[in-house]
Each structure stands twice: as structure tokens, then as C-alpha cells.
Amino acid sequence: MADVTHAADLGIDLSDGKPQQLYRWFLASMLFGRPIRQEQAAETYRVLIDHGFTSPGKFAGAGREQLRRVLDEGGYARFDYQMTDALHETMHTLDADEGSVSHLVKTAASRKDLRDRLDTLKGIGPKTIEIFLRDIPDAVLPD
């Protein structure tokens, strides 16, 4: 499998900024932002979606062990507890503070503002921000 480094490689279409597509790319960016093989991150993304993790709020209902098992199924075993905790915390904060990834993106004043707001989320580092923003079209951001 070739390196999967862009949203389109996962079948994610960000061109019109649909909320579900923005969320899916954010989730994938979190997985790709860790030092793990791209193939494992891509497979873990697919497994999470297949298991119904289709919005930030879906993580609240999953226990730590349930989410860890899903991550292991995708091949993310090396970082499963770290990633489990990061996903729970980040998605909870996103859900509570923003309601959705789409709201976060569409209420940002600029690309820099979005970068700064992403940087405040615990579990989101510079690499994840870089990966996420790289594929977000300017047309999706507010004027």
C-alpha cells in the first residue's frame, strides 16, 4: 500500500467543507500525527469509522478498553493506551467546547486562528495540526 497522507487517499472530500468530511479528516489526522506506519494509521481510521466512531460525541460512550480493542484491531497496538486517552480527551473537549470539527473550522477567523485553536486541544500536537491543515481548502475557511 502506498503512503496515505492526504484526505483524498481515504476517500475524504474536503472541497465543500461538509461537517462529516471535516470530522473524518480530523480523526485521521490525529492517527497520522503519531509516529506509526501510515498503513496502520489508515487501517485504524477505517476500523474506527466501521465501529461507529463517526462524531466526537461517539467517543464518550466508549470505555477505555473498548476503544483500545478497536485501536488494536486497526494495528495501532503500540500506542493504544496513549491514543485511547488522547482520543477520549480531545473528542470530549471538541464536543463540549465546539460541538463539532466543522464548527471549529468554520468559526475560525483565519488559517492562523484555526491553527492556534487546534493547538489548545490536549492531544493535538504540531504534526497533527500540520497534517490536518494541509488538506483544508482555503474556500472552506471563513472570509
Side-chain angles (χ1 to χ4, degrees):
M1 180 178 184
D3 281 350
V4 179
T5 57
H6 295 281
D9 297 327
L10 295 171
I12 300 170
D13 178 5
L14 298 169
S15 63
D16 55 8
K18 287 185 178 163
Q20 186 60 220
Q21 300 298 298
L22 289 169
Y23 161 75
R24 286 178 180 227
W25 182 235
F26 180 77
L27 175 60
S29 296
M30 283 190 71
L31 297 168
F32 286 121
R34 303 290 170 134
I36 191 166
R37 287 184 26 235
Q38 302 267 309
E39 296 85 5
Q40 289 172 306
E43 181 59 22
T44 302
Y45 161 78
R46 290 182 190 94
V47 169
L48 282 164
I49 295 300
D50 289 347
H51 279 273
F53 291 93
T54 55
S55 71
K58 299 287 184 177
F59 286 85
R64 189 176 195 224
E65 284 304 311
Q66 176 193 359
L67 185 54
R68 186 197 59 77
R69 282 191 302 274
V70 172
L71 292 174
D72 284 355
E73 185 181 328
Y76 220 90
R78 182 172 161 216
F79 296 100
D80 58 1
Y81 282 111
Q82 285 178 313
M83 198 62 198
T84 297
D85 295 344
L87 284 167
H88 267 130
E89 187 163 348
T90 302
M91 294 300 183
H92 170 76
T93 301
L94 248 176
D95 192 40
D97 294 354
E98 299 291 341
S100 69
V101 175
S102 177
H103 183 265
L104 175 70
V105 170
K106 294 182 179 185
T107 59
S110 65
R111 189 170 290 274
K112 182 185 179 322
D113 181 46
L114 179 55
R115 179 184 314 279
D116 292 346
R117 290 171 68 187
L118 288 166
D119 195 39
T120 67
L121 294 171
K122 188 169 180 165
I124 301 297
K127 192 61 167 173
T128 298
I129 294 169
E130 174 190 324
I131 292 166
F132 181 70
L133 290 178
R134 178 182 58 213
D135 281 14
I136 300 296
D138 288 337
V140 170
L141 295 170
D143 293 328

